[in-house]
């Protein structure tokens, strides 16, 4: 029910006379709003060209900050502390103003202790806060009456952390500290830590409705729920800060935010709202508008509205064979069939688009694995557990060209056809792109070997798979030289090559491989070029792949870099919660809340059901594969098939969770029906297109129901998020967009869950026994309820 607030006559007169604030909006197309810049302890760098490409004449900074400008690289160096947790910096350019929200560092000092112990040990601290780098944080011995301990103090933002100690070359836990132990998904435990903020939490920021105060003007203001007097609201219209006069507290405690004049509205607009109480920061609110109206239902959205995206990822060689004339398996005795080409191609993907496969499920974005040219031979080696094989480049991640298609995947005409057909059906196409490394046969390496990092470290050890301690230089394997993308002379031509896929073919964005192994210089250079070269009018989307701490993942996000990354910390917790592998609902809720706090309540992070580097979820869920075993070896040595129906139910729970929370839900091909398998390459079996079992068909229908519910709900796409854990097995998520509410009830336990109801509801997806005053969710089940 839409709320009808009382509008004072004086305000009606004000609205009728002014129609909202007029903004000095610049001519530059700066998008729908900037991701807030998180200030850090010490010095923060602000790269002006991440936000404004035109010449900046002056800048207004929040009080308390000390700022210096480095002209040669257009960087502002920021120190000091703002007077409030949130502040606005405004750039005055020749063509108008551009505003950016700043978030004050809220880090708290935390001291870790290992011991009591003797002073003869070598002890380091490692965990999610330092990307599990065992050498990053040495601990200092401090003697005391108990015999002494090893200590280290870190400044940590509020959030949840996991950690261990590395003692004389072995992973250790603090003896006697069992109360903080949590399963790590690998058959052992980590310590857990929650860092809380001081002060009183903010009241949630909720938008209730949009009104015109009886003036006849369209959508003059947004009404926010009641807030305490000390809680301030900051409002942004796209990239421009609304003046303080646009935010007005009413006598009943509600807050009204007046919208700009119609002349300041573009084809698509975002109203961003933020709040703080002087000590802590609330959730943020996002409301989309078109050039005339509020976006009230998803039918008004386009494929450029990535907040509403539903994404499907396939490995092209394993999806569908639409052109057998380009089949070229190696057929070598030293390459097992699972490690060879199987014939899938872009033509097969086009046929799936034409058949309506993706639209029938509700997906609006297709993500292709890399389709650039790869080597002809076999490389790498698996020799373990009595199994030996080399590998072809069927997966696409060993590029021998940065801009030429692999003939086994597609011709230029076939890729153009896919994009034309997909765009004609309002589908996006993302391309998986490899920037970090090339194959030995790549002309770039053949002609510029000095562009690669060294295969050997100063101590003469191999610099391969050194993911954390040498993350910007490590090679993935000896046949895959890593490019030194810290050097401008390497970055310039390599980013030019990446542009070809947009300028020549018209892809809608990139999934970037191995993001954390690539210097920020590359991402800033590429993104700047994409902005300048994008003539499609579409909002491009870039998502990266980084395993590590939330802070490391977030360091690659921003207006001048990537739009998102995959939230692997959320994924790991979701797998353990939905499959009942050690994470309970309270822990799951905590991880979800941490993602909202770090990435924002309206982030575009990818929430995956699986990927090409993980064992298939259903095989973990039905216990066909153990998280304690070598899941790659299991895939080679066992014929892993889906087991009992509980595995399918748990996979439906994972899909339901991913589509219920902020971010972009991603279904890995085959997970819509429950493809089984161990880890790479067994998790890359060929797609099944018919003869589904009853359990597989039931999961397909359930997946379709979930994806469609997400696609058709503004609350699930743009809504405010609350999360609760009423028991160890039950997770409850509430999403709200204006008057639309959706409650998601997830029950991974063996007993029914009864949820109280206070009003009539409509089932959107899942199952429940819905009565007058309660809804009962069966074991291993879920339901989406709307009111």
């Amino acid at each position: 029910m839409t709320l009808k607030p009382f509008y004072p006559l004086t305000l009606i007169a004000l609205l009728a006379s002014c129609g909202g604030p007029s903004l000095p909006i610049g001519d530059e197309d700066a998008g729908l709003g900037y991701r807030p810049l998180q200030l850090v302890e010490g010095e923060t760098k602000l790269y002006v060209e991440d936000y404004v490409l035109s010449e900046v004449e002056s800048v207004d900074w929040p009080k308390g900050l000390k700022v210096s400008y480095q002209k040669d690289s257009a960087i502002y160096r920021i120190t000091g502390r703002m007077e409030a947790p949130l502040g606005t910096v405004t750039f005055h350019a020749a063509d108008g103003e551009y505003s950016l929200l700043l978030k004050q560092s809220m880090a708290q000092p935390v001291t870790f202790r290992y011991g009591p112990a003797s002073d003869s040990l070598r002890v380091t601290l490692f965990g999610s806060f330092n990307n599990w780098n065992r050498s990053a944080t040495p601990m200092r011995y401090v003697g005391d009456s108990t015999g002494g301990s090893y200590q280290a103090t870190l400044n940590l933002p509020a959030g949840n952390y996991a950690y261990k100690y590395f003692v004389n070359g072995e992973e250790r836990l603090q003896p006697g500290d069992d109360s903080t132990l949590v399963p790590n998904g690998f058959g052992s435990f980590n310590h857990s830590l929650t860092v809380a903020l001081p002060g009183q939490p903010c009241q949630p920021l909720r938008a209730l409705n949009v009104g015109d105060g009886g003036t006849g003007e369209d959508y003059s203001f947004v009404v926010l729920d009641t807030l305490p007097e000390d809680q301030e609201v900051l409002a942004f219209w796209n990239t421009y800060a609304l003046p303080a006069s646009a935010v007005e507290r009413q006598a009943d405690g509600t807050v009204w935010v007046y919208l700009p004049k119609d002349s300041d509205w573009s084809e698509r607009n975002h109203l961003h709202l933020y709040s703080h109480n002087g000590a802590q920061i609330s959730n943020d609110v996002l409301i989309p508008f078109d050039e005339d109206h509020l976006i009230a239902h998803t039918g008004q959205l386009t494929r450029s509205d990535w907040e509403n995206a539903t994404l499907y990822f396939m490995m092209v060689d394993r999806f569908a064979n639409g052109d057998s004339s380009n089949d070229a398996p190696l057929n070598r005795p030293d390459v097992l069939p699972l490690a060879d080409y199987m014939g899938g191609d872009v033509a097969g993907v086009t046929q799936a688009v034409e058949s309506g496969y993706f639209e029938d499920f509700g997906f609006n974005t297709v993500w292709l694995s890399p389709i650039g040219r790869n080597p002809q031979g076999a490389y790498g080696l698996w020799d373990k557990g009595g199994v030996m094989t080399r590998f072809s480049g069927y997966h696409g991640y060993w590029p021998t060209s940065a801009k030429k298609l692999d003939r086994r995947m597609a011709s230029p005409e076939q890729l153009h056809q896919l994009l034309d057909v997909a765009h004609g059906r309002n589908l996006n196409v993302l391309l998986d792109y490899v920037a970090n490394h090339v194959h030995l046969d790549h002309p770039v390496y053949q002609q510029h070997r000095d562009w690669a990092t060294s295969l050997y470290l100063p101590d003469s050890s191999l610099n391969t798979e050194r993911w954390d301690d040498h993350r910007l230089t490590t090679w993935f394997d000896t046949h895959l030289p890593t490019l030194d993308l810290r050097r401008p002379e390497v970055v310039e031509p390599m980013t030019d090559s990446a542009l070809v896929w947009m300028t020549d073919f018209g892809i809608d964005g990139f999934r970037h491989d191995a993001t954390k192994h690539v210097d920020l210089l590359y991402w800033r250079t590429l993104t700047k070029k994409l902005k300048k070269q994008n003539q499609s009018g579409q909002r491009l989307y870039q998502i990266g792949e980084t395993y590590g701490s939330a802070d490391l993942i977030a360091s690659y996000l921003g207006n001048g870099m990537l739009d998102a990354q995959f939230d692997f910390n959320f994924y790991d917790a979701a797998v353990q919660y939905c499959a009942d592998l050690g994470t309970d609902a309270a822990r799951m809720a905590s991880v979800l809340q941490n993602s909202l706090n770090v990435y924002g309540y309206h982030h575009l992070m990818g929430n995956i059901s699986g990927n090409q580097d993980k064992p298939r979820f259903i095989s973990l869920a039905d216990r066909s594969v153990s998280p304690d075993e070598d899941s790659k070896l299991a895939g080679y040595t066992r014929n892993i098939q889906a087991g009992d129906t509980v595995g399918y139910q748990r996979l439906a729970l994972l899909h339901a969770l991913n589509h219920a929370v902020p971010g972009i839900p991603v279904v890995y091909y085959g997970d819509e029906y429950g493809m089984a398998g161990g880890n790479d390459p067994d998790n890359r079996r060929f797609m099944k297109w018919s003869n589904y079992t009853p359990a597989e068909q039931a999961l397909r229908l359930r997946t379709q129901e979930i994806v469609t519910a997400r696609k058709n709900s503004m609350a699930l796409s743009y809504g405010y998020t609350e999360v609760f854990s009423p028991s160890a097995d039950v997770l409850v998520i509430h999403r709200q967009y204006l008057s639309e509410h959706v409650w998601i009830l997830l029950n991974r336990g063996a007993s029914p869950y009864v949820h109280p109801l206070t009003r009539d509801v409509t089932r959107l997806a899942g199952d429940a026994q819905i009565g007058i005053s309660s809804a009962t969710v069966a074991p291993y089940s879920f339901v989406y309820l709307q009111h």
Side-chain angles (χ1 to χ4, degrees), residues 113-125:
R113 294 178 175 83
Y114 179 82
S118 68
D119 61 359
S120 61
L121 304 178
R122 299 187 311 278
V123 183
T124 59
L125 173 68

Side-chain angles (χ1 to χ4, degrees), residues 66-268:
K66 300 177 181 178
V67 183
S68 61
Y69 183 61
Q70 184 177 328
K71 187 174 182 180
D72 61 346
S73 52
I75 296 174
Y76 285 100
R77 298 179 179 274
I78 307 168
T79 58
R81 293 187 67 84
M82 298 187 295
E83 295 179 349
L86 298 176
T88 302
V89 56
T90 299
F91 303 99
H92 299 274
D95 62 348
E97 294 182 2
Y98 304 87
S99 299
L100 168 66
L101 184 75
L102 303 180
K103 286 188 172 184
Q104 184 64 62
S105 171
M106 310 290 275
Q108 306 291 311
V110 178
T111 298
F112 297 83
R113 294 178 175 83
Y114 179 82
S118 68
D119 61 359
S120 61
L121 304 178
R122 299 187 311 278
V123 183
T124 59
L125 173 68
F126 70 113
S128 57
F129 39 70
N130 62 11
N131 305 308
W132 297 99
N133 186 341
R134 291 171 171 174
S135 60
T137 309
M139 302 189 74
R140 181 173 59 92
Y141 184 78
V142 178
D144 57 30
S145 60
T146 63
S149 63
Y150 292 83
Q151 300 183 14
T153 299
L154 302 177
N155 285 318
L156 298 178
N160 303 296
Y161 302 91
Y163 64 96
K164 279 186 171 181
Y165 301 96
F166 199 55
V167 181
N168 286 353
E170 295 183 358
E171 293 185 5
R172 295 283 182 85
L173 299 168
Q174 170 64 32
D177 188 11
D178 296 343
S179 62
T180 65
L181 297 183
V182 293
N184 61 11
F186 299 99
S188 60
F189 294 85
N190 297 326
H191 289 294
S192 65
L193 169 70
T194 298
V195 178
L197 290 174
Q200 185 72 20
C202 289
Q203 281 288 107
L205 195 61
R206 307 173 191 264
L208 300 179
N209 67 341
V210 178
D212 65 6
T215 67
E217 298 288 333
D218 279 340
Y219 308 116
S220 298
F221 56 89
V222 171
V223 180
L224 304 181
D225 203 352
T226 57
L227 293 174
E229 288 286 341
D230 65 348
Q231 193 162 325
E232 180 182 354
V233 175
L234 286 76
F236 291 74
W237 183 255
N238 298 329
T239 58
Y240 315 103
L242 295 176
S245 59
V247 179
E248 184 174 276
R249 191 177 302 272
Q250 306 303 306
D252 63 358
T254 60
V255 175
W256 290 7
V257 179
Y258 304 130
L259 304 181
K261 290 180 178 294
D262 291 349
S263 59
D264 293 329
W265 290 37
S266 303
E267 183 176 345
R268 176 67 80 244

Side-chain angles (χ1 to χ4, degrees), residues 396-412:
Y397 292 98
W398 298 345
T400 58
S401 174
K403 53 189 177 183
K404 293 182 179 180
L405 285 160
D406 192 298
R407 62 180 179 82
R408 294 161 290 200
M409 297 294 166
S411 66

Side-chain angles (χ1 to χ4, degrees), residues 475-763:
W475 289 30
F476 278 51
D477 206 335
T478 55
H479 62 280
L480 299 173
T482 288
L483 297 176
D484 193 347
L485 295 172
R486 299 168 296 182
R487 297 163 55 186
E489 68 271 24
V490 182
V491 167
E492 280 299 320
M494 298 312 294
T495 49
D496 285 343
S497 296
L499 281 178
V500 168
W501 300 99
M502 182 192 73
T503 57
D504 289 13
F505 293 103
I507 65 157
D508 302 296
F510 292 105
R511 178 269 187 186
H512 290 295
D513 187 55
T515 298
K516 79 172 186 179
H517 301 293
V518 178
D519 191 77
L520 297 180
L521 173 65
Y522 177 90
W523 303 122
R524 283 198 160 89
T525 304
L526 175 62
T527 301
K528 182 178 178 181
K529 290 180 178 181
L530 288 171
K531 288 180 179 179
K532 288 184 174 181
Q533 295 291 324
N534 181 17
Q535 303 297 320
S536 68
Q538 297 295 319
R539 180 180 165 201
L540 296 178
Y541 175 71
Q542 296 187 86
I543 184 169
E545 176 208 33
T546 292
Y547 291 88
S549 69
D551 287 342
L552 176 66
I553 293 170
S555 70
Y556 287 86
L557 306 179
N559 191 67
M561 295 188 289
L562 303 183
D563 300 290
Q565 297 220 60
F566 296 105
D567 191 347
F568 288 114
N569 297 313
F570 176 84
Y571 167 77
D572 289 340
V575 168
Q576 293 181 37
Y577 166 70
C578 293
D580 197 5
L581 293 174
T583 291
D584 64 12
R587 174 66 179 168
M588 185 69 250
S590 179
V591 171
L592 171 55
Q593 187 62 55
N594 193 60
S595 289
L596 299 177
N597 293 341
V598 173
Y599 309 124
Y601 277 69
H602 300 280
H603 64 69
L604 297 175
M605 303 288 284
N607 299 319
I608 61 173
S609 67
N611 70 8
Q612 69 274 37
D613 297 319
K614 301 284 187 180
R616 286 284 180 170
F617 172 84
I618 196 169
S619 297
L620 292 170
D622 67 13
R623 310 305 191 251
S624 298
V625 173
S626 169
D628 301 340
E629 69 176 315
D630 185 330
S631 55
K632 287 189 178 183
L633 182 61
Y636 283 118
T637 58
R638 299 204 304 270
N639 179 22
I640 299 170
Q641 299 296 328
D644 58 39
T645 57
V646 172
Y648 291 95
Q649 292 174 287
R650 292 193 185 283
L651 180 49
L653 277 175
L654 179 62
H655 289 319
L657 175 57
N658 284 341
H659 287 74
V661 298
I664 296 181
V666 184
V667 173
Y668 182 40
Y669 84 102
D671 280 346
E672 69 267 41
Y673 65 81
M675 182 186 288
N679 207 330
D680 168 22
D682 194 40
N683 57 3
R684 308 172 182 186
R685 300 178 187 179
F686 205 84
M687 180 75 170
K688 183 176 182 177
W689 289 101
S690 61
N691 300 319
Y692 300 108
T693 68
E696 290 172 336
Q697 181 61 20
L699 180 59
R700 290 180 82 249
L701 294 174
R702 188 64 85 200
T703 304
Q704 181 183 50
E705 190 179 50
I706 293 167
V707 179
T708 301
R710 168 65 179 240
K711 176 185 175 184
N712 292 336
S713 170
M714 288 297 293
L716 292 175
S717 300
Y718 288 91
Y720 164 64
T721 305
E722 293 178 292
V723 58
F724 312 94
S725 53
S727 74
D729 290 324
V730 176
L731 190 71
V732 176
I733 300 167
H734 173 222
R735 304 293 304 275
Q736 177 202 349
Y737 179 77
L738 302 177
S739 61
E740 181 194 2
H741 295 255
V742 178
W743 291 86
I744 301 94
L745 315 178
L746 303 161
N747 179 16
R748 69 99 187 262
S751 301
Y753 166 65
V754 179
H755 184 80
L757 298 178
T758 58
R759 61 180 66 190
D760 292 340
V761 295
T762 300
R763 185 190 69 85

